[in-house]
PDB file of all heavy atoms in Angstrom:
ATOM      1  N   TYR A  76     -32.323  -2.258  -4.726  1.00 96.00           N
ATOM      2  CA  TYR A  76     -33.384  -1.255  -4.654  1.00 96.00           C
ATOM      3  C   TYR A  76     -34.676  -1.796  -5.247  1.00 96.00           C
ATOM      4  O   TYR A  76     -34.666  -2.537  -6.238  1.00 96.00           O
ATOM      5  CB  TYR A  76     -32.964   0.018  -5.402  1.00 96.00           C
ATOM      6  CG  TYR A  76     -31.763   0.696  -4.787  1.00 96.00           C
ATOM      7  CD1 TYR A  76     -30.521   0.686  -5.434  1.00 96.00           C
ATOM      8  CD2 TYR A  76     -31.861   1.328  -3.553  1.00 96.00           C
ATOM      9  CE1 TYR A  76     -29.424   1.289  -4.871  1.00 96.00           C
ATOM     10  CE2 TYR A  76     -30.750   1.936  -2.975  1.00 96.00           C
ATOM     11  CZ  TYR A  76     -29.544   1.917  -3.638  1.00 96.00           C
ATOM     12  OH  TYR A  76     -28.455   2.518  -3.065  1.00 96.00           O
ATOM     13  N   GLU A  80     -37.747   2.700  -5.546  1.00 95.00           N
ATOM     14  CA  GLU A  80     -36.526   3.383  -5.121  1.00 95.00           C
ATOM     15  C   GLU A  80     -35.618   3.649  -6.318  1.00 95.00           C
ATOM     16  O   GLU A  80     -35.044   4.750  -6.441  1.00 95.00           O
ATOM     17  CB  GLU A  80     -35.791   2.524  -4.078  1.00 95.00           C
ATOM     18  CG  GLU A  80     -36.515   2.423  -2.750  1.00 95.00           C
ATOM     19  CD  GLU A  80     -35.968   1.329  -1.855  1.00 95.00           C
ATOM     20  OE1 GLU A  80     -35.345   0.345  -2.384  1.00 95.00           O
ATOM     21  OE2 GLU A  80     -36.162   1.423  -0.638  1.00 95.00           O
ATOM     22  N   GLY A  83     -37.430   6.292  -8.593  1.00 94.00           N
ATOM     23  CA  GLY A  83     -37.923   7.507  -7.953  1.00 94.00           C
ATOM     24  C   GLY A  83     -36.814   8.420  -7.465  1.00 94.00           C
ATOM     25  O   GLY A  83     -35.654   8.300  -7.878  1.00 94.00           O
ATOM     26  N   ASP A  84     -37.179   9.274  -6.525  1.00 93.00           N
ATOM     27  CA  ASP A  84     -36.254  10.293  -6.035  1.00 93.00           C
ATOM     28  C   ASP A  84     -36.106  10.229  -4.517  1.00 93.00           C
ATOM     29  O   ASP A  84     -35.682  11.182  -3.889  1.00 93.00           O
ATOM     30  CB  ASP A  84     -36.757  11.672  -6.448  1.00 93.00           C
ATOM     31  CG  ASP A  84     -35.658  12.732  -6.385  1.00 93.00           C
ATOM     32  OD1 ASP A  84     -34.521  12.413  -6.788  1.00 93.00           O
ATOM     33  OD2 ASP A  84     -35.945  13.851  -5.903  1.00 93.00           O
ATOM     34  N   SER A  85     -36.466   9.075  -3.929  1.00 93.00           N
ATOM     35  CA  SER A  85     -36.488   8.992  -2.462  1.00 93.00           C
ATOM     36  C   SER A  85     -35.132   8.676  -1.850  1.00 93.00           C
ATOM     37  O   SER A  85     -34.934   8.885  -0.652  1.00 93.00           O
ATOM     38  CB  SER A  85     -37.499   7.941  -2.014  1.00 93.00           C
ATOM     39  OG  SER A  85     -37.125   6.654  -2.507  1.00 93.00           O
ATOM     40  N   VAL A  86     -34.186   8.158  -2.636  1.00 93.00           N
ATOM     41  CA  VAL A  86     -32.877   7.784  -2.112  1.00 93.00           C
ATOM     42  C   VAL A  86     -31.858   8.829  -2.549  1.00 93.00           C
ATOM     43  O   VAL A  86     -31.526   8.945  -3.744  1.00 93.00           O
ATOM     44  CB  VAL A  86     -32.461   6.384  -2.608  1.00 93.00           C
ATOM     45  CG1 VAL A  86     -31.094   6.009  -2.017  1.00 93.00           C
ATOM     46  CG2 VAL A  86     -33.504   5.345  -2.225  1.00 93.00           C
ATOM     47  N   ALA A  87     -31.379   9.598  -1.598  1.00 94.00           N
ATOM     48  CA  ALA A  87     -30.488  10.719  -1.913  1.00 94.00           C
ATOM     49  C   ALA A  87     -29.219  10.253  -2.617  1.00 94.00           C
ATOM     50  O   ALA A  87     -28.709  10.930  -3.517  1.00 94.00           O
ATOM     51  CB  ALA A  87     -30.142  11.485  -0.643  1.00 94.00           C
ATOM     52  N   TRP A  88     -28.705   9.086  -2.214  1.00 92.00           N
ATOM     53  CA  TRP A  88     -27.463   8.592  -2.800  1.00 92.00           C
ATOM     54  C   TRP A  88     -27.612   8.389  -4.312  1.00 92.00           C
ATOM     55  O   TRP A  88     -26.671   8.621  -5.081  1.00 92.00           O
ATOM     56  CB  TRP A  88     -27.088   7.268  -2.125  1.00 92.00           C
ATOM     57  CG  TRP A  88     -25.696   6.787  -2.441  1.00 92.00           C
ATOM     58  CD1 TRP A  88     -24.660   7.517  -2.902  1.00 92.00           C
ATOM     59  CD2 TRP A  88     -25.212   5.453  -2.295  1.00 92.00           C
ATOM     60  NE1 TRP A  88     -23.548   6.738  -3.061  1.00 92.00           N
ATOM     61  CE2 TRP A  88     -23.855   5.456  -2.683  1.00 92.00           C
ATOM     62  CE3 TRP A  88     -25.782   4.260  -1.865  1.00 92.00           C
ATOM     63  CZ2 TRP A  88     -23.071   4.307  -2.664  1.00 92.00           C
ATOM     64  CZ3 TRP A  88     -24.989   3.123  -1.838  1.00 92.00           C
ATOM     65  CH2 TRP A  88     -23.653   3.139  -2.236  1.00 92.00           C
ATOM     66  N   LEU A  89     -28.789   7.993  -4.767  1.00 94.00           N
ATOM     67  CA  LEU A  89     -28.997   7.746  -6.191  1.00 94.00           C
ATOM     68  C   LEU A  89     -29.037   9.035  -6.998  1.00 94.00           C
ATOM     69  O   LEU A  89     -28.840   9.014  -8.218  1.00 94.00           O
ATOM     70  CB  LEU A  89     -30.275   6.945  -6.400  1.00 94.00           C
ATOM     71  CG  LEU A  89     -30.280   5.544  -5.774  1.00 94.00           C
ATOM     72  CD1 LEU A  89     -31.570   4.811  -6.106  1.00 94.00           C
ATOM     73  CD2 LEU A  89     -29.067   4.735  -6.219  1.00 94.00           C
ATOM     74  N   ARG A  90     -29.290  10.140  -6.332  1.00 94.00           N
ATOM     75  CA  ARG A  90     -29.211  11.420  -7.047  1.00 94.00           C
ATOM     76  C   ARG A  90     -27.748  11.776  -7.318  1.00 94.00           C
ATOM     77  O   ARG A  90     -27.430  12.416  -8.327  1.00 94.00           O
ATOM     78  CB  ARG A  90     -29.890  12.526  -6.230  1.00 94.00           C
ATOM     79  CG  ARG A  90     -31.395  12.309  -6.056  1.00 94.00           C
ATOM     80  CD  ARG A  90     -32.100  13.582  -5.606  1.00 94.00           C
ATOM     81  NE  ARG A  90     -31.787  13.958  -4.237  1.00 94.00           N
ATOM     82  CZ  ARG A  90     -32.446  13.534  -3.163  1.00 94.00           C
ATOM     83  NH1 ARG A  90     -33.464  12.676  -3.305  1.00 94.00           N
ATOM     84  NH2 ARG A  90     -32.115  13.932  -1.958  1.00 94.00           N
ATOM     85  N   LYS A  91     -26.852  11.374  -6.437  1.00 94.00           N
ATOM     86  CA  LYS A  91     -25.426  11.629  -6.625  1.00 94.00           C
ATOM     87  C   LYS A  91     -24.779  10.566  -7.518  1.00 94.00           C
ATOM     88  O   LYS A  91     -23.880  10.868  -8.309  1.00 94.00           O
ATOM     89  CB  LYS A  91     -24.710  11.636  -5.255  1.00 94.00           C
ATOM     90  CG  LYS A  91     -23.214  11.817  -5.320  1.00 94.00           C
ATOM     91  CD  LYS A  91     -22.838  13.180  -5.892  1.00 94.00           C
ATOM     92  CE  LYS A  91     -21.327  13.387  -5.902  1.00 94.00           C
ATOM     93  NZ  LYS A  91     -20.939  14.677  -6.555  1.00 94.00           N
ATOM     94  N   ALA A  92     -25.232   9.321  -7.406  1.00 93.00           N
ATOM     95  CA  ALA A  92     -24.638   8.208  -8.159  1.00 93.00           C
ATOM     96  C   ALA A  92     -25.738   7.473  -8.913  1.00 93.00           C
ATOM     97  O   ALA A  92     -26.120   6.352  -8.552  1.00 93.00           O
ATOM     98  CB  ALA A  92     -23.910   7.264  -7.206  1.00 93.00           C
ATOM     99  N   PRO A  93     -26.259   8.073  -9.974  1.00 94.00           N
ATOM    100  CA  PRO A  93     -27.408   7.473 -10.670  1.00 94.00           C
ATOM    101  C   PRO A  93     -27.113   6.118 -11.305  1.00 94.00           C
ATOM    102  O   PRO A  93     -28.030   5.340 -11.562  1.00 94.00           O
ATOM    103  CB  PRO A  93     -27.762   8.517 -11.724  1.00 94.00           C
ATOM    104  CG  PRO A  93     -26.529   9.346 -11.896  1.00 94.00           C
ATOM    105  CD  PRO A  93     -25.868   9.374 -10.554  1.00 94.00           C
ATOM    106  N   ARG A  96     -28.649   2.956  -9.839  1.00 95.00           N
ATOM    107  CA  ARG A  96     -30.067   2.593 -10.016  1.00 95.00           C
ATOM    108  C   ARG A  96     -30.223   1.234 -10.698  1.00 95.00           C
ATOM    109  O   ARG A  96     -31.284   0.612 -10.633  1.00 95.00           O
ATOM    110  CB  ARG A  96     -30.793   3.676 -10.838  1.00 95.00           C
ATOM    111  CG  ARG A  96     -30.870   5.033 -10.146  1.00 95.00           C
ATOM    112  CD  ARG A  96     -31.631   6.051 -10.998  1.00 95.00           C
ATOM    113  NE  ARG A  96     -31.585   7.390 -10.421  1.00 95.00           N
ATOM    114  CZ  ARG A  96     -32.449   7.846  -9.497  1.00 95.00           C
ATOM    115  NH1 ARG A  96     -33.424   7.066  -9.077  1.00 95.00           N
ATOM    116  NH2 ARG A  96     -32.328   9.075  -9.021  1.00 95.00           N
ATOM    117  N   LYS A 123     -29.319  -0.174   1.563  1.00 96.00           N
ATOM    118  CA  LYS A 123     -29.659   0.874   0.587  1.00 96.00           C
ATOM    119  C   LYS A 123     -28.558   1.918   0.475  1.00 96.00           C
ATOM    120  O   LYS A 123     -28.584   2.746  -0.447  1.00 96.00           O
ATOM    121  CB  LYS A 123     -30.960   1.565   1.002  1.00 96.00           C
ATOM    122  CG  LYS A 123     -32.117   0.626   1.300  1.00 96.00           C
ATOM    123  CD  LYS A 123     -32.572  -0.152   0.081  1.00 96.00           C
ATOM    124  CE  LYS A 123     -33.757  -1.052   0.425  1.00 96.00           C
ATOM    125  NZ  LYS A 123     -34.215  -1.835  -0.745  1.00 96.00           N
ATOM    126  N   GLY A 124     -27.632   1.903   1.426  1.00 95.00           N
ATOM    127  CA  GLY A 124     -26.575   2.899   1.433  1.00 95.00           C
ATOM    128  C   GLY A 124     -25.205   2.260   1.414  1.00 95.00           C
ATOM    129  O   GLY A 124     -25.067   1.042   1.244  1.00 95.00           O
TER     130      GLY A 124
END
Side-chain angles (χ1 to χ4, degrees):
Y76 297 109
E80 291 166 336
D84 199 41
S85 62
V86 181
W88 191 20
L89 297 183
R90 295 196 290 272
K91 177 64 178 176
R96 295 181 186 274
K123 309 295 181 181

